[in-house]
Amino acid sequence: MKKLFLFLILCLFVGCSTTKHLPPGEVLYTGQKPIVVEQRSETPVGQTALEEVEAALAAAPNNALLGSSRIRIPFPLGLWVYNGFSKYEKGLGKWIFRRFGAKPVLLSTVAPDIRMRAATNLLHEYGYFDGLVSCDTFVNSRDSLKARLQYTVRMGQPTIIDTVEYVGFSARTERILKATRRHSLLRPESQFNVPDLDAERTRVSNLLRNTGLYYFRPDYLTYQADTTCVPAQYVSLRMIPVEGMPAVAEKPFYLGAKSIYLYGRNGQAPTDSLLYRGMRIYYHGSRPYVRPSMLYRWTDYRNFRFKRPQSDSAEARHSTTLRYSLYNLHRQNRVQERLAQTGIFRTTDIGFVPRDTSALCDTLDVNIRLMPTLRYDAELDFNLKLKSNNQVGPGASFTLSRLNVFGGGERWEVELTGSYEWQTGGGAASSMNSYEYGVSTSLVFPRVMFPRLGTHEYDFPATTIFSLYALQQDRARYYKLLAFGGRATYEFQPKPIHKHSLTPLRLTFNVLRHPTAEFQALQAANPALYASLRDQFIPAMEYTYTYDDTSLRTNRRTSHWWQTTFTSAGNVTSLLYGALGQSLSRSEKQLLGVPFAQFVKLNTEFRHHLRIGRHCMLATRMALGAVWAYGNVLSAPYTEQFYVGGANSIRAFSARSIGPGGYSSGEEGTAGYGYLNHVGDIRFEANAEWRFPILGNLHGAVFLDAGNVWLLRTDEGRPGGEFRLRDFPRQIALGTGLGLRYDLQLLVFRLDLGVALHDPSRLNSGRGYYNIPRFGDGLALNFAIGYPF
């Protein structure tokens, strides 16, 4: 503190000049004026080109605001310290200089001439061959050693592709290119740009490698452009092989013998081998740690078989176990992905070696080298919630995994979870606390099990999960709820952006234990709440579809994520109930001595990420859900109903503190136990978050959250909770706030301060739209790991 105080005092005596120690002939760069764009192109390619041009021209001056090229902080403390303390060579002055000084950003180091040439080249790459970037320098009228820059970008007219031809290839290659022409990225009337030309070279190379051309590479392709025989602003393109391309590049190769090398856990080389269905397996130790049948399934190339040529040519003279399989790049990548997805190998290496060195050789032997990972894996997750009304809630989960349990890539997981929430204020409310803890175990198979669908693997990830769980919930002085059960789930991902999850059987048994006198009083006042919490059996089927395009090209400005889950409970059980001769008209049908739930539930969530510039992002989310109970019980189980609030929802409100509708639990008069009632049959939630960089791995966010839950049926115990369209706008809870994120790539620590703006439970308070009694009552601090959406 003494050093900091002395530093501030010394700053008062430091001259305000920021240019007196500049090198001779240098000028201090003080930022840019807004870029002037002439003949702006509104095409998508033009917008992308302009973004890259602006990024190439951007250069932050001293004391820039969040790295901006245009906006500066008024007080250049770093420059003041640099000029005032540069003379010190040791002691406190040297420490202040190193710690707080900022080296001047000179006009010569910004190098506007180089930036102009780079930006002009970018315009040319995107088809603006007449594009030009110029620069004007504005010297400060008060100090001739300071200057700002202003760039002018003249885009001009874009160049359009007239025709595209593929010439100079072998007859086989030309047939393949002609048959797949509809997939070309270069189309007549599309805008010329170099990124698409590079992408088309990659597409053609991958296409040819998928048809056996193992040695083909994108570097073997080039273009010829002609602008003389077409109208102005048009270009004719030819894709041709480069001069000197080796003949072997267009020669198809077949797969030969396959060998797998299983190294020891400490890198020991294989010491023994065995032959399984024509595949040689080399392993370390007494036996392979992976079943040969699974290695054969994971590395099977037969999905891409071709007929063997019936001739006496070189293509027909070599016979091997997998002789009918042409080399295929997609299959190679898929095999490598499948081996990685098992999670039991630390490294996977697939090599293709020519059978011999003769010119007639057209066979590649496959060598797969696998290094095992550790047998066990552990993961710890932690989150913490702090609320301004003295609510504190930490939670944690610990997962231990045993890999390759049965030698087929299976994974056995055991997860322990727990959370606790208590009231830290004084008085009677301080005794309020609630907690929950649970244990679950899962067995994950990297394939489809029961029923077994053939001996081959799908050409996409497929997983079977069997799990059992038990969860104990203690809700303050009300009750304890024991939930236990299990499920069987099949997960399929036929394409990188599409994922399906089918749960044909999910069994849950809820047991209400130790209800207190207070809960029994609540039961009398709110029968619907008790019906959702009482002992019941929940037999359900579930299907989830997930769309996620974030794995597509990394240079895309937008990404989307959409997940929809449909759940049906009790229907099949009801049919079996009738098949056993029981009356379906009974008011309460039971299974194993307790009533079973009947409901249908639909839950959907959509996320959209829009990247603005290189470092900023606008993330939005919308979530909708509804559950309808019928037949046996007219109230859905408590665990199936919706709630909002918390670190990943409406961050200005704690979980289960809003709704349903405009219902007010009167927490202030009931020692804070009204949170039990804040669940509903309908859910609506919307969020928007602006994310921006601050310094290094530290990022900031400004967010706006809105939402609520409602009831589908009138509940006398929760007046105002049912959904009415006319009340919808004013029953939406609204909150805003600021956040910090420390992004370590693999792990993100998040701290959000939520500010409540509108509480639907206070509609009758007479305070207007902003109806929070005190500003401090509407603050909530949330700490979590990972982004909220």
Side-chain angles (χ1 to χ4, degrees):
M1 288 299 295
K2 290 183 178 180
K3 289 184 178 181
L4 181 59
F5 178 75
L6 180 59
F7 164 68
L8 295 176
I9 294 297
L10 290 175
C11 281
L12 296 177
F13 296 96
V14 174
C16 293
S17 173
T18 57
T19 59
K20 66 179 182 179
H21 289 293
L22 293 179
E26 295 289 356
V27 177
L28 181 68
Y29 168 71
T30 57
Q32 297 179 11
K33 289 188 175 184
I35 295 176
V36 177
V37 181
E38 298 177 354
Q39 300 180 0
R40 181 189 295 267
S41 176
E42 300 296 341
T43 66
V45 174
Q47 294 177 7
T48 302
L50 189 57
E51 287 181 3
E52 294 202 18
V53 166
E54 291 176 348
L57 297 176
N62 291 103
N63 57 291
L65 178 62
L66 300 178
S68 172
S69 300
R70 297 169 49 193
I71 305 174
R72 303 174 66 203
I73 299 173
F75 305 102
L77 294 178
L79 284 177
W80 290 345
V81 173
Y82 181 87
N83 285 280
F85 291 87
S86 59
K87 59 184 178 182
Y88 293 98
E89 297 182 356
K90 59 182 180 179
L92 178 61
K94 187 64 175 180
W95 178 84
I96 293 175
F97 176 79
R98 290 199 310 265
R99 187 69 179 84
F100 300 102
K103 186 177 181 180
V105 179
L106 305 177
L107 195 61
S108 61
T109 60
V110 172
D113 291 340
I114 296 177
R115 292 179 183 272
M116 283 190 297
R117 288 196 294 270
T120 301
N121 290 337
L122 283 172
L123 290 176
H124 295 172
E125 288 185 4
Y126 281 93
Y128 298 92
F129 295 128
D130 297 329
L132 183 64
V133 179
S134 58
C135 179
D136 294 316
T137 302
F138 293 85
V139 178
N140 191 305
S141 59
R142 299 180 181 178
D143 190 342
S144 61
L145 295 180
K146 297 180 180 179
R148 300 182 71 186
L149 298 176
Q150 184 173 47
Y151 295 97
T152 299
V153 179
R154 181 170 60 82
M155 300 188 69
Q157 296 298 318
T159 300
I160 307 300
I161 295 176
D162 182 65
T163 57
V164 181
E165 296 180 351
Y166 303 87
V167 296
F169 299 97
S170 68
R172 180 182 185 271
T173 300
E174 288 188 358
R175 286 197 304 270
I176 295 172
L177 295 178
K178 184 178 180 180
T180 60
R181 193 181 186 91
R182 65 184 183 277
H183 300 299
S184 174
L185 301 177
L186 305 178
R187 301 175 182 272
E189 300 301 325
S190 63
Q191 187 169 336
F192 174 94
N193 64 93
V194 172
D196 279 355
L197 266 62
D198 291 339
E200 177 67 4
R201 290 200 313 164
T202 301
R203 184 195 72 85
V204 170
S205 175
N206 291 342
L207 169 67
L208 297 178
R209 298 193 70 193
N210 284 336
T211 58
L213 306 191
Y214 172 74
Y215 288 102
F216 205 93
R217 297 293 183 269
D219 294 340
Y220 292 157
L221 300 171
T222 188
Y223 291 94
Q224 290 179 342
D226 185 5
T227 60
T228 60
C229 300
V230 292
Q233 301 302 135
Y234 277 78
V235 61
S236 291
L237 293 176
R238 283 185 177 182
M239 177 182 282
I240 61 173
V242 298
E243 185 177 355
M245 182 182 72
V248 72
E250 291 190 88
K251 179 180 180 179
F253 280 83
Y254 292 82
L255 297 181
K258 181 169 56 178
S259 302
I260 296 182
Y261 297 82
L262 297 175
Y263 289 83
R265 299 192 181 278
N266 296 319
Q268 302 96 326
T271 56
D272 205 346
S273 68
L274 60 84
L275 187 65
Y276 180 83
R277 300 182 66 175
M279 177 179 67
R280 176 65 62 176
I281 302 176
Y282 298 87
Y283 58 91
H284 174 79
S286 59
R287 60 186 178 88
Y289 58 85
V290 183
R291 298 200 305 273
S293 61
M294 296 310 305
L295 290 172
Y296 183 83
R297 293 177 65 169
W298 293 338
T299 61
D300 186 12
Y301 282 82
R302 289 181 296 170
N303 286 4
F304 288 86
R305 286 201 166 192
F306 291 78
K307 271 192 174 183
R308 179 192 173 111
Q310 299 297 318
S311 71
D312 293 329
S313 64
E315 292 181 341
R317 281 199 290 266
H318 303 281
S319 177
T320 62
T321 305
L322 298 177
R323 188 63 184 80
Y324 301 131
S325 296
L326 274 171
Y327 168 79
N328 187 284
L329 175 64
H330 170 75
R331 195 61 185 164
Q332 174 190 342
N333 293 337
R334 184 64 197 98
V335 169
Q336 192 143 8
E337 290 171 2
R338 182 181 293 157
L339 291 171
Q341 287 164 358
T342 63
I344 64 176
F345 302 114
R346 182 171 44 186
T347 60
T348 60
D349 177 66
I350 302 179
F352 297 87
V353 182
R355 174 65 56 85
D356 55 59
T357 58
S358 68
L360 298 178
C361 176
D362 64 347
T363 302
L364 300 173
D365 290 336
V366 185
N367 296 326
I368 303 176
R369 290 176 169 80
L370 305 173
M371 188 78 68
T373 187
L374 300 177
R375 290 189 178 92
Y376 294 92
D377 187 24
E379 181 178 349
L380 176 65
D381 290 330
F382 178 79
N383 61 76
L384 177 66
K385 177 187 65 182
L386 302 175
K387 192 77 169 65
S388 61
N389 62 1
N390 298 327
Q391 285 288 123
V392 181
S397 65
F398 175 74
T399 304
L400 180 64
S401 302
R402 170 67 162 87
L403 307 180
N404 200 33
V405 180
F406 306 122
E410 303 85 2
R411 184 173 73 254
W412 179 39
E413 297 180 348
V414 177
E415 181 180 17
L416 302 176
T417 60
S419 64
Y420 191 77
E421 184 176 285
W422 68 91
Q423 186 84 9
T424 61
S430 63
S431 61
M432 187 189 101
N433 59 78
S434 62
Y435 61 87
E436 62 182 51
Y437 56 88
V439 60
S440 64
T441 181
S442 301
L443 191 57
V444 183
F445 295 85
R447 57 192 178 276
V448 175
M449 302 286 293
F450 308 121
R452 183 174 179 178
L453 305 177
T455 59
H456 303 302
E457 294 292 306
Y458 285 108
D459 193 39
F460 50 81
T463 304
T464 306
I465 306 172
F466 300 104
S467 59
L468 299 172
Y469 74 93
L471 178 67
Q472 173 72 52
Q473 299 177 344
D474 187 308
R475 292 299 182 231
R477 296 178 298 181
Y478 273 90
Y479 65 86
K480 291 183 179 180
L481 181 68
L482 175 63
F484 60 91
R487 66 168 62 195
T489 301
Y490 299 92
E491 295 182 349
F492 307 90
Q493 193 166 0
K495 294 184 179 181
I497 61 176
H498 302 288
K499 183 178 180 180
H500 305 269
S501 177
L502 176 64
T503 303
L505 180 63
R506 174 165 68 90
L507 302 177
T508 305
F509 191 53
N510 289 344
V511 181
L512 184 65
R513 306 170 61 238
H514 308 301
T516 65
E518 291 175 272
F519 181 77
Q520 292 173 352
L522 178 63
Q523 169 187 343
N526 193 339
L529 179 63
Y530 169 73
S532 68
L533 284 166
R534 67 175 180 171
D535 295 357
Q536 57 185 313
F537 189 70
I538 309 175
M541 302 174 62
E542 191 171 87
Y543 168 75
T544 299
Y545 167 75
T546 304
Y547 174 90
D548 185 359
D549 63 7
T550 56
S551 61
L552 299 181
R553 291 184 299 174
T554 56
N555 60 351
R556 297 171 69 247
R557 294 181 57 199
T558 62
S559 63
H560 307 84
W561 183 91
W562 176 45
Q563 185 176 84
T564 297
T565 301
F566 175 76
T567 308
S568 174
N571 295 316
V572 175
T573 308
S574 183
L575 293 176
L576 294 175
Y577 194 86
L580 295 175
Q582 302 294 327
S583 174
L584 295 177
S585 61
R586 291 181 55 181
S587 59
E588 187 175 270
K589 298 181 284 292
Q590 294 187 345
L591 185 66
L592 302 179
V594 295
F596 59 86
Q598 288 182 272
F599 64 86
V600 290
K601 180 180 179 181
L602 182 66
N603 193 24
T604 185
E605 181 175 334
F606 177 79
R607 302 175 185 175
H608 177 262
H609 290 172
L610 173 63
R611 189 170 298 280
I612 301 176
R614 285 193 168 186
H615 306 290
C616 297
M617 175 181 291
L618 177 63
T620 55
R621 178 181 71 156
M622 179 174 289
L624 299 169
V627 57
W628 174 258
Y630 60 93
N632 224 12
V633 182
L634 298 184
S635 179
Y638 190 81
T639 54
E640 298 291 341
Q641 296 185 41
F642 299 101
Y643 67 90
V644 292
N648 296 320
S649 180
I650 307 176
R651 284 160 280 188
F653 299 87
S654 60
R656 289 187 175 90
S657 65
I658 312 169
Y663 165 69
S664 176
S665 61
E667 292 186 2
E668 296 174 357
T670 58
Y673 290 100
Y675 71 93
L676 286 172
N677 289 320
H678 294 302
V679 292
D681 306 317
I682 301 176
R683 170 200 181 199
F684 169 78
E685 203 173 325
N687 312 82
E689 183 171 284
W690 172 261
R691 299 168 183 169
F692 51 86
I694 296 179
L695 181 64
N697 293 330
L698 184 64
H699 300 258
V702 179
F703 56 84
L704 184 69
D705 304 325
N708 203 342
V709 295
W710 291 267
L711 302 174
L712 283 171
R713 294 184 174 94
T714 301
D715 184 354
E716 296 180 356
R718 288 178 285 181
E722 63 274 13
F723 179 81
R724 291 190 178 94
L725 188 59
R726 66 175 184 271
D727 298 328
F728 176 80
R730 64 195 190 102
Q731 290 182 350
I732 295 293
L734 185 67
T736 185
L738 303 170
L740 294 174
R741 289 95 171 86
Y742 192 70
D743 192 346
L744 299 177
Q745 301 299 322
L746 298 177
L747 194 64
V748 178
F749 295 96
R750 174 165 56 94
L751 186 67
D752 288 329
L753 176 64
V755 180
L757 301 177
H758 180 71
D759 186 347
S761 67
R762 301 180 183 274
L763 293 176
N764 299 323
S765 63
R767 296 178 179 272
Y769 187 81
Y770 180 77
N771 55 7
I772 310 301
R774 294 178 301 175
F775 181 77
D777 294 337
L779 298 180
L781 189 64
N782 300 276
F783 174 75
I785 295 176
Y787 288 103
F789 50 87

